[in-house]
Amino acid sequence: MILQVSGVSKRFGGLQALSDVSFNLEEGRIMGLIGPNGAGKTTLFNCINGVYRPEEGRVVFRGQNITGNKTYHVAKMGLSRTHQIVRPLNDLTIRENVIVGACFGRENHSLGSAEKIADEVLEFVRLHERANQLAGSLNVGQKKRLEMARALAARPYLLLLDEVLAGLNASEITQMIGIVRDIRERGTTIIMIEHVMQAVMNVSDDILVLDFGKQIAFGTPEQVANDPKVIEAYLGDPTLAAELSGKKSSA
Amino acid sequence: MSLKNLKNPGLWLTLVVVFILGVIPIINNKASAREETLTVLLSVILVSSLNILLGYTGYISFGHIVFYGMGGYVGLFLISVYGWSLWTAMAAGGLASGLLAFLLGSAILRLRGSYFALATIGINEAMRAFISNFEPFGGPTGISLNFQVYNQYGGAAQALWTIYYVVLALALGNILLSYLVKTSKFGLGLQAIREDEEAAEVMGVVTPSSKTWAYVLSAVLPGMVGVLFFFKNGNIEPGPAFRLHLSIELLVMVMLGGYGTIAGPVLGAFGYQRLRGLLLTSDLFKNIQLTVAGVLLLVIILFIPSGAVGWIRHRFPVTRRYLP
Ligand SMILES: Nc1ncnc2c1ncn2[C@@H]1O[C@H](COP(=O)(O)OP(=O)(O)O)[C@@H](O)[C@H]1O
Ligand SMILES: [Mg+2]
């Protein structure tokens, strides 16, 4: 078990952003994390990688309790993430951004070896032609791939992807899904938050559904898509509900 | 930090220019030119060390001059009371300032943005108040040196030249140091903090210790030259040692030349001191030089926020590789 989350709860003032979320993730799998806007998906990531300390519950990563650990310690243990709202280091080049990931991540590389990793990873996410451009000059889709590249350069055991498909056009989505599959091929475990239902259903081994901070379903994509509670949660959003049932009929 | 990085032409150009400007008064053997250049070289040291904190790490300090004053006090104290030589006192002044930065940094570098900046103003004022009441350092009257201390350096006139050589060497050394820091892994971590501290942490940059070490590095050389300056001066008092407006002038110089670059602080120090020299000869401007500095800072921030060197780097991206 690479990640064990048990009974995690997080409050913001009067708002219960997460209540009693628990799941186990096996190594080498892709877990999709879905739920309507504001369901607490990003907050769950923040509780796992130490941006927030949950009020209750435990997060165990590769056998170690990391609940409330500093994010940089968690990163060095091999847990990397991307941000839903991209956070490029604007005034550094794309290559330097990725070198930061390699230098300070799990393998703690020197600048020299980090440069090699950066070039490899940039080619992998197809940003190598822009390596010497400033990160601030990229468009959103490219910035998402930069987020991905930085996280990958750390050579993590577990990768948390927060809506890497949002805001991308159809061909970029196909490209990104290819990248996600390749990452898994290389043995990295992935949790991905996604709104593009088709994509997340196709690519995930397990799905966790959050609604108002509560975990309403956990299982295979088929189980989840047929779960009445999930369909109900998405009824407020007709297009998503349609996508879910669309998936059901095609499965 | 790999040695191939040392082949950077912008670094060498900066070093050569500073060296030539520094050597001219020596060749001409003119004391007045020496004093003028000494002021500029001291500024170069203060500004490019401030740049490690402000330019690389993105933390604005209004209290950088604290380290200058602190070094000066510790140095003059050791020389006058314990008879230390100027050189060991200089090292001790640098160490004392580094230690002070370490202690302060551990406490206030947790503050972000404007809160940190405000805290540094408080530190400058608190330090002055504390030293004014600290009897071993002479309280409000400070420490004065006996004129005879200059004898062991060949007399006062010779001592001034010797100090000048050392300041020139320290200025060159500081430019090299700031370059090595910038091109090191440590420096990359600092720049990541400047761009987005939370993103840097998520990527594994251990921000508390990185910031503290940046602060320490930026404090040591000011502490050392503080000893030299106040030794040359013959005395040190709380007012001149902790002058808030000097800190502000340092900020103007960093911003003028271009924060975060190697040549920027040097250009800023030369440019600003030149301008100040011109203004000082005019009676009209004599009394309002700080106002001029303030207006200048405003104009820079509004129109060329990245400073002269930063502007060139932005305008002509090819120069980025040659202008570190
Ligand atoms: N730092 C914060 N302070 C206060 N409220 C927050 C904070 N972060 C998230 N929230 C709130 O918590 C809820 C869950 O947010 P989030 O985890 O971002 O949802 P999701 O990623 O599922 O869209 C939302 O109502 C959001 O407004
Ligand atoms: Mg979110």
Side-chain angles (χ1 to χ4, degrees):
Chain A
M1 223 44 89
I2 190 166
L3 184 73
Q4 294 159 286
V5 171
S6 40
V8 164
S9 299
K10 175 74 196 162
R11 231 186 333 273
F12 295 112
L15 179 88
Q16 191 71 40
L18 288 177
S19 36
D20 198 21
V21 174
S22 303
F23 65 90
N24 288 337
L25 181 60
E26 267 173 54
E27 204 156 343
R29 290 173 86 83
I30 298 185
M31 182 180 114
L33 177 53
I34 64 171
N37 260 328
K41 305 181 294 293
T42 300
T43 304
L44 181 56
F45 273 11
N46 284 330
C47 287
I48 292 174
N49 89 324
V51 174
Y52 301 143
R53 169 187 274 280
E55 279 98 30
E56 282 160 58
R58 263 157 59 93
V59 179
V60 176
F61 176 56
R62 302 184 81 237
Q64 277 196 57
N65 185 356
I66 57 162
T67 323
N69 279 13
K70 294 281 185 201
T71 44
Y72 39 81
H73 290 140
V74 175
K76 289 191 188 300
M77 287 175 66
L79 200 160
S80 295
R81 74 175 285 183
T82 69
H83 295 95
Q84 176 180 1
I85 296 160
V86 290
R87 310 187 77 133
L89 309 173
N90 284 320
D91 244 10
L92 298 182
T93 65
I94 288 151
R95 196 154 173 264
E96 285 166 338
N97 267 263
V98 182
I99 291 174
V100 172
C103 271
F104 297 95
R106 178 171 72 81
E107 292 179 339
N108 195 28
H109 283 280
S110 68
L111 276 182
S113 49
E115 281 170 13
K116 286 199 197 82
I117 294 173
D119 290 338
E120 247 173 66
V121 172
L122 282 173
E123 185 148 4
F124 182 66
V125 302
R126 297 170 194 97
L127 278 177
H128 52 290
E129 276 160 16
R130 301 179 184 274
N132 293 317
Q133 237 169 279
L134 290 187
S137 69
L138 295 178
N139 67 33
V140 176
Q142 293 161 340
K143 282 179 179 163
K144 295 240 155 158
R145 276 185 276 153
L146 177 60
E147 285 274 335
M148 185 87 114
R150 291 196 314 203
L152 284 177
R155 302 252 165 93
Y157 297 117
L158 174 62
L159 181 59
L160 310 181
L161 301 176
D162 198 344
E163 302 202 16
V164 285
L165 302 181
L168 303 191
N169 63 36
S171 78
E172 285 173 325
I173 287 180
T174 316
Q175 200 181 36
M176 194 63 115
I177 288 175
I179 292 173
V180 171
R181 285 220 166 91
D182 287 348
I183 296 169
R184 199 255 300 265
E185 293 292 289
R186 297 175 170 203
T188 307
T189 312
I190 297 171
I191 305 182
M192 61 187 299
I193 296 177
E194 214 38 77
H195 271 306
V196 183
M197 210 49 76
Q198 189 81 39
V200 78
M201 287 294 184
N202 275 329
V203 89
S204 304
D205 304 305
D206 309 295
I207 302 265
L208 175 74
V209 191
L210 286 181
D211 189 26
F212 292 111
K214 290 199 184 65
Q215 176 179 336
I216 58 169
F218 182 59
T220 64
E222 285 82 43
Q223 286 167 342
V224 164
N226 291 312
D227 192 316
K229 271 197 290 188
V230 177
I231 293 174
E232 194 190 314
Y234 276 99
L235 276 183
D237 189 335
T239 54
L240 284 177
E243 276 191 55
L244 263 181
S245 47
K247 168 68 197 173
K248 192 170 66 171
S249 55
S250 74
Chain B
M1 133 177 33
S2 69
L3 284 181
K4 73 165 197 274
N5 285 342
L6 280 179
K7 289 195 183 134
N8 190 296
L11 168 69
W12 289 102
L13 185 68
T14 311
L15 288 172
V16 166
V17 167
V18 171
F19 181 76
I20 290 174
L21 290 169
V23 161
I24 290 173
I26 301 177
I27 295 174
N28 293 340
N29 198 14
K30 268 177 69 180
S32 61
R34 179 196 67 208
E35 290 309 291
E36 251 173 55
T37 312
L38 184 76
T39 309
V40 176
L41 291 175
L42 287 173
S43 300
V44 167
I45 293 171
L46 293 172
V47 175
S48 60
S49 59
L50 172 61
N51 191 37
I52 294 178
L53 184 72
L54 172 77
Y56 299 172
T57 321
Y59 275 73
I60 298 175
S61 167
F62 285 101
H64 203 57
I65 218 70
V66 159
F67 302 119
Y68 189 60
M70 178 71 182
Y73 258 107
V74 169
L76 262 63
F77 175 74
L78 293 172
I79 292 169
S80 68
V81 177
Y82 292 102
W84 284 32
S85 84
L86 175 59
W87 314 121
T88 43
M90 178 177 85
L95 275 178
S97 291
L99 185 66
L100 179 66
F102 183 82
L103 297 174
L104 288 176
S106 312
I108 63 170
L109 278 165
R110 262 174 286 179
L111 304 169
R112 299 254 172 115
S114 38
Y115 295 102
F116 174 81
L118 281 175
T120 59
I121 297 183
I123 282 166
N124 191 65
E125 298 308 291
M127 209 55 198
R128 182 175 38 217
F130 172 74
I131 298 285
S132 300
N133 293 296
F134 188 58
E135 279 312 317
F137 283 1
T141 49
I143 303 173
S144 291
L145 292 177
N146 187 324
F147 197 70
Q148 280 161 0
V149 297
Y150 299 112
N151 289 344
Q152 53 176 307
Y153 307 96
Q158 182 55 43
L160 293 182
W161 278 109
T162 309
I163 287 171
Y164 180 78
Y165 302 144
V166 176
V167 169
L168 176 58
L170 287 178
L172 294 169
N174 198 13
I175 293 168
L176 189 62
L177 173 78
S178 67
Y179 177 79
L180 291 176
V181 170
K182 183 171 179 179
T183 53
S184 69
K185 177 173 165 176
F186 169 65
L188 182 64
L190 297 182
Q191 293 170 78
I193 292 173
R194 176 190 71 205
E195 293 301 311
D196 186 334
E197 189 158 344
E198 192 178 316
E201 288 188 342
V202 165
M203 281 189 273
V205 179
V206 184
T207 54
S209 67
S210 301
K211 289 188 291 185
T212 303
W213 285 113
Y215 202 33
V216 170
L217 268 181
S218 78
V220 171
L221 269 128
M224 290 169 73
V225 295
V227 180
L228 296 177
F229 178 81
F230 289 103
F231 176 81
K232 168 180 171 289
N233 214 27
N235 80 314
I236 185 166
E237 289 167 36
F242 302 103
R243 245 194 255 276
L244 188 59
H245 85 77
L246 276 181
S247 288
I248 293 170
E249 287 186 309
L250 295 181
L251 286 175
V252 177
M253 292 184 236
V254 177
M255 297 306 290
L256 180 66
Y259 67 89
T261 65
I262 303 298
V266 176
L267 198 67
F270 273 93
Y272 182 80
Q273 293 296 0
R274 186 99 298 215
L275 182 72
R276 214 174 72 109
L278 292 177
L279 294 182
L280 276 179
T281 57
S282 144
D283 281 336
L284 175 63
F285 285 115
K286 222 173 211 163
N287 298 321
I288 58 162
Q289 41 164 318
L290 199 59
T291 315
V292 174
V295 171
L296 188 60
L297 187 58
L298 199 63
V299 170
I300 297 167
I301 290 172
L302 286 176
F303 299 106
I304 41 162
S306 48
V309 174
W311 182 82
I312 297 173
R313 281 166 57 100
H314 268 284
R315 189 74 184 67
F316 309 103
V318 279
T319 61
R320 295 182 67 86
R321 287 180 51 196
Y322 308 106
L323 275 180

